[in-house]
Amino acid sequence: MFPDDVVARANEVLEAAKACGVKIATAESCTAGLVASALTSVSGSAEVVERGFVTYANEAKVEMLGVSPQLIEDVGAVSEQVAREMARGALARSRAQLTVSITGIAGPTGGGPMKPVGLVHFATALEGGLIVHRRELFGALGRERVRMASVLVALNLLNDRLKEIRTLREKPPRGAAERP
């Protein structure tokens, strides 16, 4: 169902999350659950994947993730601010320690001069950490290619955050004296 590179990256994410003892939740709009599906296509994913929110409609973003309806009205659903709120909401409404959110315009319709087809915003939220945002402009690749490219970016972002967790755990605390 998924291309080999997506399955390989999903497997990397799952292995890294298992090694870190981290559960993952997704909050997806334009991908409509494809990231969660890619992760759960790998055997053993139940140890890592805590839940997925498919929030295609703005009302779902508000009801399921707690995104402010005023924020959506002010900046639009496809925005950095909404992606960040989706990631934050998924963290607050799950038992996961790491979340990824995706909101974009897969096309072929729905775009405009300020928000063209192929514009996708991503965010990852880490329990006790910062929310990281990424913006991609895939262009008019076609709906399915934009969606699959978005899945791969989301998996890469999760993998990057898991590397961050491993690095933080490997560093000695500040001020800790080294033993000879």
Side-chain angles (χ1 to χ4, degrees):
M1 175 174 171
F2 291 99
D4 290 344
D5 58 338
V6 170
V7 174
R9 185 49 49 109
N11 195 49
E12 284 179 42
V13 168
L14 293 168
E15 290 302 317
K18 284 178 197 173
C20 292
V22 169
K23 296 270 188 184
I24 295 172
T26 64
E28 303 179 62
S29 185
C30 67
T31 50
L34 286 173
V35 175
S37 183
L39 289 167
T40 59
S41 72
V42 178
S43 179
S45 59
E47 293 178 52
V48 171
V49 180
E50 203 276 327
R51 69 184 73 189
F53 299 92
V54 176
T55 57
Y56 206 74
N58 290 343
E59 293 80 9
K61 291 172 183 66
V62 171
E63 294 168 9
M64 295 173 71
L65 299 172
V67 175
S68 162
Q70 189 63 53
L71 179 65
I72 293 172
E73 186 177 319
D74 291 347
V75 300
V78 179
S79 63
E80 175 180 349
Q81 298 92 326
V82 169
R84 287 176 178 275
E85 287 303 306
M86 289 171 65
R88 183 178 288 118
L91 197 59
R93 289 165 170 77
S94 71
R95 291 181 178 88
Q97 294 80 40
L98 176 61
T99 64
V100 65
S101 68
I102 305 169
T103 182
I105 305 168
T109 61
M114 298 301 289
K115 295 183 181 183
V117 169
L119 173 64
V120 183
H121 288 274
F122 304 82
T124 57
L126 179 60
E127 189 175 65
L130 298 174
I131 296 175
V132 174
H133 167 262
R134 182 163 166 186
R135 177 187 182 271
E136 289 288 337
L137 187 54
F138 296 112
L141 296 175
R143 183 175 185 79
E144 291 313 309
R145 289 180 63 194
V146 167
R147 287 165 38 110
M148 202 53 62
S150 295
V151 169
L152 195 53
V153 168
L155 293 172
N156 286 334
L157 287 170
L158 287 170
N159 207 33
D160 290 346
R161 293 308 297 268
L162 290 161
K163 286 178 186 172
E164 180 183 323
I165 292 168
R166 284 193 308 270
T167 300
L168 289 172
R169 288 183 179 170
E170 291 169 0
K171 280 186 179 179
R174 282 189 175 185
E178 289 187 23
R179 294 180 185 234

